[in-house]
Amino acid sequence: MSPTDSSNASRQPVENATVPFWHRDIHELHDHRTTEELPVSSDVVIIGAGYAGISTAYHLVKGEASDNKLSVTILEARGVCSGATGRNGGHLRPDMYTPMARLIDRAGVERALEVTEFEIAHIHAIKSLVEKEKIDCDFTLTRSIDVWTNEETARKAEQMYDALVSRDLNYMKDVFFVSGKNAEGISGVKGAKASASFTAASLWPYKLIMHLTASILKTGLVNLQTNTPVTSVSRQSSGSFIITTPRGTTVARKVVYANNAYIAGLLPQYREAIVPCKGQCTHISVPEGTKAPLLNNSYIVREEDNVVSYLIPRADGSIVVGGANLLYYPVLSSWYNSVDDSILIEEVKDHYDGFMQRFFNGWENSGAKVDKVWTGIMGYSWDSHPHVGTVPGEDSQFVLAGFNGHGMPQVFLSALGVAKMVQNGIKFEDTGIPRLFESTKERLEKARNGPVGGDVLGIKR
């Protein structure tokens, strides 16, 4: 498949998908349909029942944007939380410093800071949500440790840290950086040359979304229709929209596209701006009766050859770890412009066998082994920022898509902003969403006219 190939025109998820660890206990609402037939009409149709779609519905009917009660229909191609959200690493981790230098060069300190502070705010927002709704989703407030085992990249990371500290950015007070011989002792990672830690969280994403799904359905304002892919959206002369599915049509005054990697199937203007890209994740367990060192932190591990993995420990002693994109990056057919999450990525499917023994002190005789491997489809944007807000050149159509595999600390409050736009008609600049996230005509044109792949293929601007 070439980078310009757009043969996945329908942008629909593959039905026979790999099964993620998070789907171990399927919720009774996973394949729920509120009514036997599609509702005739509703105020809002949300396309997609993952993190973005369910969060938007939550804000509309129960959250800050629920002043005037709207009827909401959610249409989902598969089951609830069957896409990227139910397949990620469960890592609620803001990017505290790594992308900041690039963002500052590209957009200036003020706009770059908006992104980082927005991501940090998600930790507190999700913690408050979990407490308010009494959600059992293994939410854990922790520290995330970035580790560099390559001498050169460790040195560059320290330079970046020093540069950000010199700007007197308040959020950097939460970052603790150490280099040299102490890095391995603090991080527990063999051969660590540098490490940095900061506040983050981890959770069971599927349980979070399913709880919110149950919560919004109880309001009676939401009609959920799973296994109902949307094939087209067309505007009527009255200004409302006809949403077509294989099961019939429904009408809405407003439409929210919360289908992330699959958005170009319905909005072709996003074909170059947001590309579906496949990633892989694994679950590692320790044999019953065997004790491995307790990990209290989540991790980003950068190996000697710069292969990067993300990792969260679970309360039962098991590990969820994924990434290693660099191993399959050159083979575009394995991951780029792919909507098929039914097939493992050959170049990385065995990478995490023995991973804990190789990289973590004290795990050598743990017997830790991979017991689950799955894939997921992420929406990667041309410029590495999600597209949020009104669809450019349209009215009453809104988008939350292209979260670059980093949606956990970006989606919930983006959905709040979109819900306010839908409900109250406020402008994007009044939502509190970072300005760099706004979906604009200019961004779509840059993606259309710029180098193929953009930041996805490492073409940084």
Side-chain angles (χ1 to χ4, degrees):
M1 182 188 304
S2 71
T4 55
D5 179 21
S6 297
S7 57
N8 294 304
S10 66
R11 302 292 192 192
Q12 295 295 348
V14 174
E15 291 185 9
N16 297 319
T18 55
V19 180
F21 165 78
W22 306 118
H23 287 184
R24 185 176 64 181
D25 299 312
I26 291 297
H27 195 279
E28 62 183 2
L29 295 175
H30 184 83
D31 293 308
H32 178 76
R33 288 178 179 172
T34 304
T35 54
E36 186 174 343
E37 302 295 332
L38 298 185
V40 174
S41 65
S42 52
D43 293 315
V44 183
V45 160
I46 298 174
I47 302 170
Y51 189 15
I54 297 299
S55 293
T56 302
Y58 175 83
H59 292 305
L60 283 172
V61 301
K62 293 196 68 176
E64 292 181 38
S66 61
D67 298 338
N68 301 313
K69 302 301 183 183
L70 298 177
S71 59
V72 178
T73 297
I74 303 175
L75 303 176
E76 165 58 45
R78 294 192 291 194
V80 178
C81 202
S82 60
T85 307
R87 296 169 172 276
N88 68 29
H91 208 181
L92 179 55
R93 173 190 179 276
D95 267 336
M96 299 287 275
Y97 56 90
T98 302
M100 274 295 285
R102 178 165 58 90
L103 281 179
I104 290 172
D105 290 342
R106 183 184 289 184
V109 174
E110 185 179 348
R111 293 195 176 197
L113 196 57
E114 288 177 0
V115 174
T116 299
E117 291 181 341
F118 187 71
E119 293 186 8
I120 293 170
H122 272 77
I123 296 175
H124 308 290
I126 297 299
K127 178 178 180 292
S128 296
L129 175 71
V130 168
E131 292 171 346
K132 175 185 175 182
E133 295 285 344
K134 296 180 173 55
I135 304 174
D136 177 12
C137 64
D138 294 355
F139 179 88
T140 303
L141 194 63
T142 184
R143 300 283 286 180
S144 185
I145 302 181
D146 272 18
V147 182
W148 291 264
T149 63
N150 178 290
E151 193 75 56
E152 181 182 357
T153 56
R155 178 178 53 80
K156 289 180 179 178
E158 186 167 17
Q159 291 173 349
M160 183 185 302
Y161 170 80
D162 291 340
L164 292 173
V165 169
S166 70
R167 290 182 177 274
D168 198 30
L169 301 174
N170 189 59
Y171 80 87
M172 286 297 292
K173 294 176 182 178
D174 185 48
V175 181
F176 176 69
F177 191 95
V178 61
S179 60
K181 61 182 181 180
N182 291 328
E184 181 171 340
I186 290 176
S187 68
V189 174
K190 298 175 183 180
K193 303 297 189 296
S195 69
S197 68
F198 47 87
T199 303
S202 63
L203 50 80
W204 190 309
Y206 181 72
K207 287 186 176 182
L208 172 71
I209 301 307
M210 295 313 305
H211 186 106
L212 292 181
T213 300
S215 179
I216 61 177
L217 288 175
K218 288 177 182 177
T219 67
L221 296 169
V222 176
N223 188 309
L224 171 63
Q225 297 288 327
T226 63
N227 300 295
T228 307
V230 175
T231 55
S232 69
V233 178
S234 57
R235 188 188 291 270
Q236 297 178 296
S237 58
S238 63
S240 59
F241 299 89
I242 297 178
I243 297 90
T244 302
T245 80
R247 298 177 52 228
T249 62
T250 186
V251 176
R253 294 194 299 110
K254 298 180 180 182
V255 180
V256 178
Y257 298 85
N259 52 340
N260 198 29
Y262 309 100
I263 189 168
L266 297 174
L267 295 176
Q269 61 266 48
Y270 283 91
R271 190 170 305 281
E272 293 81 17
I274 299 175
V275 179
C277 296
K278 182 157 67 173
Q280 192 159 297
C281 196
T282 62
H283 179 259
I284 296 174
S285 62
V286 175
E288 188 174 349
T290 302
K291 286 191 175 181
L294 180 64
L295 296 183
N296 293 315
N297 308 289
S298 66
Y299 284 84
I300 296 291
V301 178
R302 294 170 171 84
E303 301 178 26
E304 175 65 27
D305 57 1
N306 295 322
V307 171
V308 179
S309 299
Y310 56 83
L311 177 155
I312 69 162
R314 294 190 27 76
D316 62 4
S318 66
I319 302 292
V320 174
V321 57
N325 305 47
L326 198 62
L327 293 178
Y328 58 84
Y329 176 88
V331 187
L332 293 182
S333 59
S334 293
W335 63 279
Y336 186 81
N337 203 20
S338 171
V339 295
D340 185 356
D341 58 14
S342 68
I343 300 173
L344 299 181
I345 301 174
E346 186 66 29
E347 293 78 14
V348 74
K349 67 181 178 65
D350 299 322
H351 179 69
Y352 292 107
D353 291 339
F355 181 82
M356 299 305 295
Q357 291 89 332
R358 292 198 305 273
F359 288 100
F360 284 84
N361 287 315
W363 283 74
E364 294 83 0
N365 300 313
S366 65
K369 61 184 294 185
V370 172
D371 60 19
K372 198 77 172 175
V373 186
W374 65 93
T375 59
I377 306 301
M378 300 166 284
Y380 274 84
S381 68
W382 188 86
D383 57 9
S384 293
H385 300 303
H387 281 260
V388 181
T390 307
V391 175
E394 300 288 342
D395 62 80
S396 301
Q397 295 190 82
F398 305 86
V399 58
L400 293 103
F403 287 95
N404 300 284
H406 189 59
M408 292 306 295
Q410 294 181 340
V411 167
F412 188 70
L413 296 179
S414 292
L416 172 59
V418 168
K420 289 179 177 179
M421 295 176 75
V422 171
Q423 176 69 267
N424 305 317
I426 69 172
K427 296 181 179 179
F428 181 89
E429 51 264 33
D430 297 322
T431 62
I433 303 170
R435 284 172 285 179
L436 290 172
F437 289 9
E438 183 176 12
S439 190
T440 63
K441 182 180 178 181
E442 179 185 23
R443 288 181 66 194
L444 295 181
E445 288 179 347
K446 282 185 176 180
R448 189 177 303 116
N449 300 323
V452 171
D455 284 357
V456 184
L457 297 178
I459 305 169
K460 306 296 183 185
R461 273 157 300 280

